[in-house]
Amino acid sequence: MTSPSPADFVRTNTITAPPPLIPEIRLHLATEVTPLWEATEETLRKSNLPPPYWAFAWPGGQAVARHLLDRPDLVRGRRVVDFAAGSGLVAIAARRAGAASVLALEIDSFALAAIDLNAALNGVTVDARCEDLIGDPLPGVDLVCAGDVCYEKPMAGRVTAWLRTLAAAGVTVLLGDPGRSYRPDQGMEHLARYAVPTSLELEDRTVRETDVWRMLPG
Ligand SMILES: C[S@@+](CC[C@H](N)C(=O)[O-])C[C@H]1O[C@@H](n2cnc3c(N)ncnc32)[C@H](O)[C@@H]1O
């Protein structure tokens, strides 16, 4: 039997619903964690692909998306990158807030399918690339947003060093983080805090206080 295409897999295993903090945007989201995780393992076992992060709107991404929608001055007319985009929520919010262009970066090809479907669902266009660009310069980019990227030590270390280099080059860097273990605790300007309702299947509490930080140059 042939495997479903990534787009078919996303459609089949999700419903469309708004994330709790962003009622104005709908996404293809998992209703329950376990069945989707099992379906993903079954479908993707041979491909050795990662878990379906794209099927959830993580607290860090929700906080950044909320911030951009409430403060469109931060994004209007600017060239934006949503790094580690997952569902593409932040990219879609940036588009809605008037970004000149938006590039979503991911390393999971199923996330790319979800980003395309979610952008279309919300009537916006988002360019998406499946490539690990950590460490590369991002010429022509004004604003980089990263939602919930400090959950694993090796990744958080690489990402924060890179984001600081981008900040030093004049890029505005926003980080959304619900107090993950590996968030840097220095060189950050606090911009906002949101109470994000969460599922006990994913988090250890029903609400996560989530901060939006601007990363300062190193
Ligand atoms: C916890 S999810 C956050 C998704 C989204 N930003 C949000 O807040 O809903 C982390 C995402 O980082 C992506 N990721 C991990 N390493 C990456 C890399 N080097 N480049 C781009 N994306 C990456 C994963 O595939 C995953 O979708």
Side-chain angles (χ1 to χ4, degrees):
M1 207 169 68
T2 55
S3 302
S5 71
D8 284 341
F9 183 84
V10 172
R11 279 196 212 93
T12 306
N13 288 285
T14 59
I15 57 155
T16 60
L21 207 62
I22 324 290
E24 59 269 65
I25 291 177
R26 297 179 72 78
L27 299 173
H28 288 267
L29 296 174
T31 45
E32 292 172 278
V33 177
T34 312
L36 176 63
W37 230 265
E38 284 168 0
T40 307
E41 280 179 7
E42 180 62 28
T43 302
L44 308 179
R45 195 182 306 128
K46 290 191 199 112
S47 329
N48 196 24
L49 282 167
Y53 290 112
W54 47 264
F56 307 93
W58 297 86
Q62 289 196 56
V64 175
R66 184 73 271 147
H67 198 63
L68 298 185
L69 289 164
D70 292 349
R71 292 278 318 273
D73 52 301
L74 290 174
V75 76
R76 194 177 295 124
R78 302 184 86 192
R79 296 159 297 179
V80 179
V81 164
D82 177 10
F83 171 73
S87 66
L89 170 62
V90 171
I92 293 165
R95 258 297 187 212
R96 281 276 179 89
S101 66
V102 180
L103 173 64
L105 293 177
E106 254 297 338
I107 51 168
D108 178 350
S109 57
F110 280 64
L112 266 262
I115 292 164
D116 282 347
L117 289 170
N118 287 330
L121 189 62
N122 292 281
V124 298
T125 54
V126 167
D127 290 330
R129 264 171 81 178
C130 197
E131 197 176 345
D132 184 346
L133 291 186
I134 295 176
D136 287 10
L138 296 178
V141 171
D142 305 305
L143 171 66
V144 173
C145 300
D148 235 310
V149 293
C150 296
Y151 55 97
E152 278 174 2
K153 192 172 185 179
M155 177 180 171
R158 289 178 69 215
V159 171
T160 54
W162 177 53
L163 294 179
R164 273 207 206 286
T165 306
L166 294 174
V171 178
T172 303
V173 177
L174 300 184
L175 184 72
D177 185 87
R180 301 288 184 219
S181 304
Y182 305 108
R183 177 184 69 70
D185 53 9
Q186 288 182 346
M188 314 277 280
E189 179 191 3
H190 190 254
L191 299 183
R193 170 168 278 207
Y194 301 92
V196 185
T198 50
S199 158
L200 280 176
E201 286 189 282
L202 288 173
E203 306 280 351
D204 60 1
R205 64 202 86 165
T206 55
V207 174
R208 285 210 77 124
E209 297 294 332
T210 304
D211 297 300
V212 177
W213 302 90
R214 185 170 77 87
M215 190 165 275
L216 304 174

